[in-house]
Amino acid sequence: MITKRIIPCLDVRDGRVVKGVNFEGIRDVSSPVALASFYSDAGADELVFYDITASFEGRAIFTDILKEAAANVFIPLTVGGGINTLEDFDRVLKCGADKVSCNSGALRNPKLLEEGAKRYGSQCVVLSVDIKRVDGSFKVFSHGGRQNTGLDAFEWIKQGIDLGAGELVINSIDTDGVKNGFDIELLQKICDFSPVPVIASGGAGSMEHFTQLFREVPKIDAGLAASVFHFGEIGIRDLKTKLKADGINVRL
């Protein structure tokens, strides 16, 4: 049985971890380096760092913070935000990241996924997709959920996998920060066709939501969350103890 992963997500803006609701209403949380170290010690399986305004502002990612965090964290680290070229891949990996997450940059240039996979291997390339329901269809949004690309989410994900993405982070804008549970319908549809690992993001509000996720979408590989961890509403060790008791295979 595959071990399910629990992954805190650190959205970084102006050198601080922040969190919003439905990708809006940003508020300050903590120092990214301190929080990354805390989660590493608390039993997180991996960490995801997003520089949430890098793509919107058209600038390079926060390399100084990343280097310091990587020096203090000993679990896999995925980094995204402002990844537009192979040079961005190279810089982030040299700072200590294990995987590189592409979102808006891949939408502008899908070949970026292919080029990244050829140079660094598919296991290093993560396709992050922000998805929202629009008139009954699942559409891809870019620039931190600000712009509707008009792309069908499932077609874009299939294309990304074909180009070399080795893992998916599926961000449901509809459920992000609302804390009513993960987007089970969306995640099931993607797991039905994806041959690569799928990480669920957006909607966690209780430990039970993680149990529901892993039970109702058994092919899901990991649950990712931010605010419930950042504000102490769920402790990672407590969550894993509950999941284990619920019959879900996790690393304690």
Side-chain angles (χ1 to χ4, degrees):
M1 184 186 298
I2 295 175
T3 302
K4 304 299 185 182
R5 293 173 285 154
I6 302 298
I7 306 175
C9 177
L10 284 65
D11 293 330
V12 180
R13 177 178 181 176
D14 299 327
R16 300 285 292 178
V17 177
V18 295
K19 187 64 187 123
V21 177
N22 297 127
F23 286 35
E24 297 177 352
I26 300 297
R27 58 174 168 160
D28 184 87
V29 176
S30 181
S31 153
V33 176
L35 204 53
S37 297
F38 170 78
Y39 286 135
S40 181
D41 293 341
D45 296 295
E46 297 185 17
L47 287 174
V48 171
F49 263 88
Y50 287 132
D51 189 338
I52 62 170
T53 55
S55 291
F56 180 64
E57 296 169 0
R59 59 174 169 78
I61 203 165
F62 52 125
T63 52
D64 53 340
I65 292 172
L66 178 54
K67 284 179 182 177
E68 190 177 354
N72 290 278
V73 169
F74 305 101
I75 54 178
L77 184 60
T78 298
V79 177
I83 305 296
N84 297 299
T85 65
L86 280 183
E87 287 70 27
D88 292 326
F89 266 81
D90 191 59
R91 185 176 67 256
V92 166
L93 292 170
K94 284 180 177 175
C95 286
D98 298 279
K99 293 181 277 189
V100 181
S101 179
C102 303
N103 191 321
S104 295
L107 287 165
R108 282 190 293 272
N109 174 25
K111 288 290 185 182
L112 179 63
L113 299 171
E114 185 176 36
E115 293 167 356
K118 284 181 178 177
R119 181 173 294 186
Y120 302 107
S122 289
Q123 80 288 342
C124 181
V125 180
V126 179
L127 176 61
S128 177
V129 190
D130 299 331
I131 302 173
K132 186 175 183 178
R133 290 167 178 80
V134 179
D135 297 328
S137 298
F138 292 98
K139 297 296 183 182
V140 177
F141 279 64
S142 66
H143 296 81
R146 295 176 182 87
Q147 297 179 14
N148 183 357
T149 66
L151 289 172
D152 176 84
F154 305 134
E155 292 306 313
W156 168 237
I157 291 167
K158 289 173 183 176
Q159 181 183 355
I161 293 169
D162 288 343
L163 286 167
E167 188 169 73
L168 305 172
V169 174
I170 304 302
N171 311 301
S172 171
I173 297 175
D174 295 312
T175 62
D176 177 71
V178 180
K179 300 183 181 179
N180 287 332
F182 290 96
D183 197 329
I184 300 297
E185 178 192 11
L186 170 62
L187 295 164
Q188 186 60 67
K189 287 179 182 294
I190 293 168
C191 284
D192 282 345
F193 67 78
S194 174
V196 303
V198 179
I199 297 171
S201 172
S206 69
M207 294 189 197
E208 190 58 43
H209 289 152
F210 286 89
T211 297
Q212 178 190 30
L213 170 69
F214 294 127
R215 281 182 173 167
E216 295 192 18
V217 193
K219 288 182 65 178
I220 209 80
D221 285 81
L224 180 150
S227 58
V228 290
F229 296 144
H230 298 342
F231 299 118
E233 296 165 44
I234 296 177
I236 290 177
R237 292 199 190 281
D238 293 338
L239 172 59
K240 287 189 164 186
T241 299
K242 174 177 168 40
L243 290 172
K244 196 77 162 181
D246 288 342
I248 293 160
N249 192 28
V250 293
R251 179 183 63 87
L252 291 175

